[in-house]
């Protein structure tokens, strides 16, 4: 029997925002489409129908599939900060309002849920739980949110192109995860190291210190860290510091110099240069941009 031919991908963004979830609020529901969530700050426990619960920490992403019941519980105080994008693969869902995406309880009427591509590379998305996001994924998600919320001319075409790039980055991250050759014990040690970095961004996280904490040599640590997280140790530290700097710029009136110091950069000029490299604008302009939204 000839295999069914799948239609070409025609992805559409239904909703895209940066949002917070308070610790006391537990999300429990189904969705009609799919949602990619990247946790910028905090720690959450995720349960998806038919799978083992998994922990998500800052800098990690996960996929909430259509139809399956899921539960997202914030473990960190006072809340968790997400980047979230709802989408489908084949432009099969008409959304008039945000509530059209969500299904609570067990509805009496039949509900149409969006389809998942059946190719192996997409089916792999359903297995990993949470993975560390690459800088490319972080940038693509942020740009999708900017396009979708600002809605300039051609924004839907732009969002579609960005989604396709995001799909490729996700598949690569998952493939890299499957190829990681570290033992379970070493993977756990690296995960704990990554958590320690997220919790103390101001610390001097050099490769030598990380290797000493793992009790392995520097070169092997660098290769293993990248296999397990998808990023080099230096890129990982920069991304975590960048996310925290953005949060401080949005939520505090601290000076640029004080924020740079708080996230581990003793030289304000170096901080400004690194921030501009990651965000495409200096920290002062980013703060002004956030206050316009």
């Amino acid at each position: 029997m000839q295999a069914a031919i799948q239609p070409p991908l025609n992805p559409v963004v239904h909703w895209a925002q940066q949002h917070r979830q308070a610790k006391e609020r537990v999300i429990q529901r189904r969705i009609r489409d799919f949602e990619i969530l990247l946790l910028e700050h905090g720690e959450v426990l995720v349960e998806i129908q038919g799978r083992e619960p998994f922990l998500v920490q800052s800098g990690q992403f996960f996929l909430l599939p259509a139809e399956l019941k899921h539960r997202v519980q914030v473990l960190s105080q006072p809340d968790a900060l997400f980047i979230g994008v709802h989408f489908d693969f084949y432009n099969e869902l008409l959304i008039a309002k945000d509530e059209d995406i969500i299904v609570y309880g067990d509805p009496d009427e039949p509900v149409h849920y969006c389809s998942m591509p059946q190719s192996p590379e997409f089916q792999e998305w359903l297995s990993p739980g949470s993975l560390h996001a690459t800088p490319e994924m972080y940038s693509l998600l942020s740009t999708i949110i900017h396009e979708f919320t600002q809605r300039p001319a051609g924004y839907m075409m732009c969002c579609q192109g960005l989604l396709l790039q995001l799909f490729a980055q996700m598949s690569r991250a998952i493939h890299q995860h499957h190829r990681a050759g570290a033992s379970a014990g070493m993977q756990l040690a690296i995960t704990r190291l990554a958590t320690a970095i997220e919790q103390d961004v101001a610390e001097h996280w050099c490769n030598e210190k990380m290797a000493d904490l793992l009790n392995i040599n520097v070169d092997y640590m660098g290769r293993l860290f990248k296999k397990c997280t998808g990023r080099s140790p230096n890129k990982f530290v920069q991304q975590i510091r960048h996310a925290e700097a953005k949060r401080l710029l949005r939520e505090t009136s601290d000076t640029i110099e004080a924020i740079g110091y708080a996230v581990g950069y003793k030289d304000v000029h170096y901080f400004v240069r690194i921030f501009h490299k990651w965000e495409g604008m200096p920290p002062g302009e980013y703060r002004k941009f956030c206050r316009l939204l």
Side-chain angles (χ1 to χ4, degrees):
M1 182 182 296
Q2 188 176 10
I5 299 175
Q6 293 191 63
L9 293 177
N10 184 24
V12 173
V13 174
H14 300 145
W15 180 95
Q17 281 188 20
Q18 183 186 64
H19 60 284
R20 293 185 180 278
Q21 182 178 326
K23 188 175 190 299
E24 58 272 12
R25 186 180 178 218
V26 177
I27 301 295
Q28 190 163 322
R29 63 191 185 185
R30 288 186 178 99
I31 52 177
R32 297 176 63 197
D33 60 359
F34 298 84
E35 184 177 17
I36 296 171
L37 284 165
L38 190 156
L39 185 61
E40 281 198 283
H41 180 73
E43 185 176 66
V44 300
L45 180 67
V46 179
E47 300 175 47
I48 298 175
Q49 182 180 345
R51 303 179 202 169
E52 290 294 321
F54 56 91
L55 191 67
V56 185
Q57 297 175 322
S58 299
Q60 294 183 316
F61 75 94
F62 60 99
L63 176 75
L64 294 177
E67 189 171 359
L68 299 179
K69 288 182 179 178
H70 63 259
R71 184 176 188 272
V72 179
Q73 178 183 1
V74 175
L75 304 179
S76 51
Q77 289 282 10
D79 55 23
L81 179 64
F82 296 94
I83 291 177
V85 173
H86 280 267
F87 67 96
D88 69 27
F89 292 96
Y90 300 114
N91 192 14
E92 56 184 311
L93 190 61
L94 180 62
I95 300 296
K97 55 187 184 300
D98 293 348
E99 290 74 14
D100 293 340
I101 297 171
I102 301 167
V103 179
Y104 291 104
D106 297 305
D108 297 327
E109 298 295 324
V111 176
H112 173 74
Y113 294 99
C114 295
S115 307
M116 180 86 173
Q118 295 303 305
S119 60
E121 64 180 337
F122 284 105
Q123 290 300 305
E124 282 185 340
W125 290 18
L126 302 175
S127 60
S130 61
L131 294 175
H132 282 285
T134 63
E136 292 81 6
M137 288 179 59
Y138 187 93
S139 175
L140 286 166
L141 284 165
S142 298
T143 307
I144 289 171
I145 288 174
H146 175 74
E147 287 288 326
F148 190 79
T149 54
Q150 298 301 306
R151 306 202 171 193
Y155 78 95
M156 289 301 290
M157 288 187 291
C158 184
C159 284
Q160 184 177 72
L162 292 165
L163 270 178
L164 290 169
Q165 292 181 64
L166 181 62
F167 294 168
Q169 291 296 328
M170 285 181 63
S171 292
R172 290 173 184 176
I174 292 165
H175 183 68
Q176 182 74 27
H177 172 76
H178 288 164
R179 290 185 59 191
S183 68
M186 186 54 72
Q187 287 190 42
L188 179 60
I190 289 174
T191 298
R192 287 174 175 166
L193 174 59
T195 301
I197 294 169
E198 291 160 0
Q199 293 175 346
D200 190 5
V201 294
E203 180 61 50
H204 179 58
W205 293 107
C206 62
N207 284 5
E208 290 75 13
K209 176 173 181 172
M210 296 185 208
D212 286 344
L213 290 171
L214 295 172
N215 198 28
I216 55 179
N217 71 56
V218 173
D219 290 340
Y220 181 56
M221 183 281 301
R223 293 195 302 272
L224 211 53
F225 194 97
K226 187 169 184 178
K227 279 186 176 181
C228 291
T229 68
R231 287 158 293 178
S232 68
N234 184 49
K235 290 290 186 185
F236 181 86
V237 171
Q238 284 187 11
Q239 183 175 350
I240 297 302
R241 286 176 170 174
H242 184 69
E244 178 63 7
K246 287 174 66 176
R247 185 187 71 80
L248 293 172
L249 286 164
R250 289 191 306 268
E251 300 177 9
T252 75
S253 57
D254 294 349
T255 65
I256 303 300
E257 185 174 7
I259 290 173
Y261 194 88
V263 298
Y265 297 109
K266 312 309 178 191
D267 182 344
V268 66
H269 301 292
Y270 182 66
F271 167 59
V272 171
R273 191 161 64 248
I274 291 293
F275 189 95
H276 193 285
K277 178 182 175 182
W278 278 81
E279 197 62 28
M281 64 180 75
E285 284 188 22
Y286 175 80
R287 172 175 270 170
K288 290 177 185 176
F289 175 76
C290 290
R291 289 172 179 172
L292 292 174
L293 297 178

